[in-house]
């Protein structure tokens, strides 16, 4: 009881106490506090004297024009290094622009990552000026809803090809798949497998296409049995790697379309007594912190997640200001980061005994 009373004194009198002291209603007292003109001079005098006598602290009025604009960031989850990198990029760009960011996770209920409709209604209620969707897929009705409410939005690495006119930012996934496969080819590998994500996602399809293009350019036969899909799931990637090892002619190297899946591949190889890279070479994709922590450190394709997110935020700002970009798709470059998980195939694995080159750790 004493702590409650002390808190009340520290907080100062409420407007109801002031109104009672001046002998007016709370709405009338509120009009005086907020500078409204529709109050009689005598009434205004009594309220003002009561405010001063009781020590009422006037709070600054909210000015919407001066308030920071609010944007929403919808992420697939918050329990991954991927989301952390995206959040970091958005946070820095938003700070520079004087924006506030609301981060929404746990919105995803379907396998492909479709935000719930109820969240969209909350978007309008909290007055958000725009939205960034990361790894999300919207339905036709949700796209229409956003258009109807004139809410600007940008997709970061969209799951599917967005409708015409929708602004999106991603990485050069095809080039990344090409670079990863060319690296393994340069070491002397020809039996190269790929473990991809979902079959119909944009990024996964592009990475597999780059892999196939690299094989074709090198004159290496594409083997359908070397292409596996694991849905970006570490456990499924583990099973897919075991399946590849059980083939009559197993691969000697694998391009894995995410670093997290590459960890599952490492486990499968260890179960079969195979050492990376002495017996088997592995290339990942993303360059998450896990790639550096792995043993041996993972050779991988770096996609600039934080830069993608910051670019998307700046694109959203332009949309919020009424400027539509000339190009709706922006792709940032990827690059190979060589570490210790790739090496030349063992002599018995090389076609014709051709020598190979071992990659050097970063």
């Amino acid at each position: 009881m004493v702590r409650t009373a002390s808190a009340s004194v520290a907080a100062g009198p409420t407007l109801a106490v002031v109104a009672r002291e001046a002998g007016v209603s709370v709405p009338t007292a509120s009009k005086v506090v907020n500078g409204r003109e529709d109050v009689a001079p005598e009434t205004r005098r009594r309220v003002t004297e009561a405010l001063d006598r009781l020590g009422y602290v006037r709070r600054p009025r909210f000015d919407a024009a001066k308030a920071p604009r609010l944007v929403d960031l919808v992420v697939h989850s918050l329990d991954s290094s991927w989301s952390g990198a995206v959040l970091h990029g958005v946070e820095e760009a938003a700070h520079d622009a004087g924006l506030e960011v609301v981060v929404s996770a746990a919105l995803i209920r379907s396998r492909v990552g479709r935000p719930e409709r109820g969240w969209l209604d909350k978007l309008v209620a909290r007055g958000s000026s725009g939205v960034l969707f990361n790894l999300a897929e919207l339905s036709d009705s949700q796209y229409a809803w956003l258009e109807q409410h004139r809410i600007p939005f940008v997709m970061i690495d969209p799951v599917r090809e967005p409708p015409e006119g929708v602004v999106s930012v991603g990485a050069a996934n095809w080039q990344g798949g090409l670079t990863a496969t060319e690296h393994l080819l340069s070491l002397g590998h020809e039996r190269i497998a790929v473990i991809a994500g979902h079959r119909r996602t944009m990024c996964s399809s592009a990475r597999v296409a780059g892999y196939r293009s690299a094989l074709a350019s090198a004159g290496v036969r594409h083997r359908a049995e070397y292409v596996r899909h694991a849905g970006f799931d570490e456990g499924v990637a583990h099973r897919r790697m075991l399946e590849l090892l059980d083939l009559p002619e197993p691969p000697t190297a694998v391009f894995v379309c995410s670093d997290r899946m590459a960890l599952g591949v490492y486990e499968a190889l260890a179960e079969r007594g195979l050492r990376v890279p002495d017996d088997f070479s592995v290339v990942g994709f993303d360059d998450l912190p896990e790639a550096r922590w792995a043993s041996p450190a993972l050779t991988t394709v770096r996609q600039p997640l934080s830069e993608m997110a910051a670019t998307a935020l700046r694109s959203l700002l332009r949309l919020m200001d009424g400027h539509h970009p000339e190009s709706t798709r922006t792709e940032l470059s990827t690059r190979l980061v060589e570490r210790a998980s790739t090496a030349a195939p063992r002599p018995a694995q090389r076609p014709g005994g051709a020598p190979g080159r071992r990659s050097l750790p970063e």
Side-chain angles (χ1 to χ4, degrees):
M1 292 296 292
V2 173
R3 294 177 60 186
T4 301
S6 298
S8 298
V9 171
T14 65
L15 196 58
V17 172
V18 172
R20 186 166 60 250
E21 177 74 12
V24 299
S25 66
V26 172
T28 299
S30 177
K31 289 180 180 181
V32 174
V33 170
N34 290 298
R36 294 273 296 273
E37 297 181 357
D38 53 339
V39 180
E42 176 59 24
T43 303
R44 182 183 304 277
R45 183 189 61 77
R46 294 204 317 271
V47 173
T48 302
E49 289 177 354
L51 290 169
D52 294 338
R53 188 164 55 252
L54 295 174
Y56 182 84
V57 179
R58 294 174 172 84
R59 294 176 176 83
R61 295 179 62 187
F62 176 77
D63 187 342
K66 295 181 180 179
R69 287 184 291 181
L70 183 70
V71 297
D72 274 64
L73 169 63
V74 183
V75 297
H76 187 268
S77 68
L78 285 173
D79 61 353
S80 68
S81 301
W82 171 289
S83 297
V86 169
L87 182 56
H88 175 72
V90 171
E91 181 183 34
E92 284 201 339
H95 179 269
D96 293 341
L99 291 172
E100 297 288 347
V101 179
V102 173
V103 181
S104 302
L107 300 171
I108 309 307
R109 294 292 179 264
S110 67
R111 181 180 64 84
V112 295
R114 183 166 293 152
E116 293 176 324
R117 169 59 190 271
W119 171 84
L120 295 172
D121 296 325
K122 295 177 183 177
L123 180 71
V124 172
R126 62 175 162 257
S128 293
S129 301
V131 193
L132 295 172
F133 291 104
N134 178 222
L135 287 177
E137 180 187 11
L138 303 182
S139 66
D140 291 342
S141 62
Q142 288 168 333
Y143 278 121
W145 188 94
L146 289 164
E147 180 68 24
Q148 176 186 350
H149 289 78
R150 298 182 179 180
I151 298 175
F153 66 97
V154 174
M155 312 291 286
I156 305 172
D157 204 13
V159 174
R160 303 276 193 265
E161 184 76 36
E164 184 178 355
V166 171
V167 178
S168 66
V169 177
N173 289 295
W174 182 89
Q175 185 64 45
L178 180 83
T179 303
T181 311
E182 286 179 339
H183 171 66
L184 293 170
L185 289 165
S186 74
L187 296 173
H189 292 280
E190 291 194 359
R191 303 204 311 266
I192 303 171
V194 60
I195 297 180
H198 297 294
R199 291 180 181 274
R200 292 182 295 276
T201 57
M202 284 181 62
C203 65
S204 182
S205 298
R207 292 168 196 175
V208 173
Y211 154 85
R212 289 176 172 167
S213 181
L215 293 180
S217 295
V220 175
R221 178 170 63 92
H222 164 65
R223 306 187 189 205
E225 68 271 22
Y226 279 4
V227 180
R228 305 283 165 145
H229 290 83
F232 296 109
D233 184 279
E234 185 177 335
V236 179
H238 174 274
R239 296 196 295 272
R240 297 294 177 263
M241 188 67 244
L242 293 177
E243 294 168 3
L244 288 168
L245 294 175
D246 288 336
L247 292 173
E249 190 174 25
T252 62
V254 62
F255 164 43
V256 191
C257 289
S258 84
D259 292 345
R260 292 295 299 273
M261 289 197 298
L263 299 181
V265 167
Y266 269 34
E267 290 183 7
L269 293 169
E271 285 180 14
R272 294 296 176 89
L274 297 174
R275 295 168 300 168
V276 178
D278 297 334
D279 303 313
F280 206 95
S281 288
V282 182
V283 177
F285 201 105
D286 288 332
D287 195 26
L288 298 176
E290 292 91 322
R292 299 188 298 274
W293 302 336
S295 182
L298 180 66
T299 294
T300 188
V301 175
R302 181 182 185 272
Q303 62 171 332
L305 297 175
S306 293
E307 293 90 336
M308 285 162 52
T311 299
L313 192 280
R314 289 190 287 268
S315 297
L316 180 61
L317 274 173
R318 288 191 289 272
L319 291 177
M320 289 162 54
D321 291 336
H323 304 295
H324 203 80
E326 294 182 3
S327 175
T328 57
R329 173 68 177 176
T330 301
E331 286 194 353
L332 303 188
S333 61
T334 55
R335 67 178 179 88
L336 184 73
V337 180
E338 292 189 46
R339 295 194 176 100
S341 67
T342 53
R346 288 183 285 106
Q349 297 175 324
R350 298 175 195 152
R357 171 180 66 84
R358 178 168 181 165
S359 67
L360 297 176
E362 188 185 41

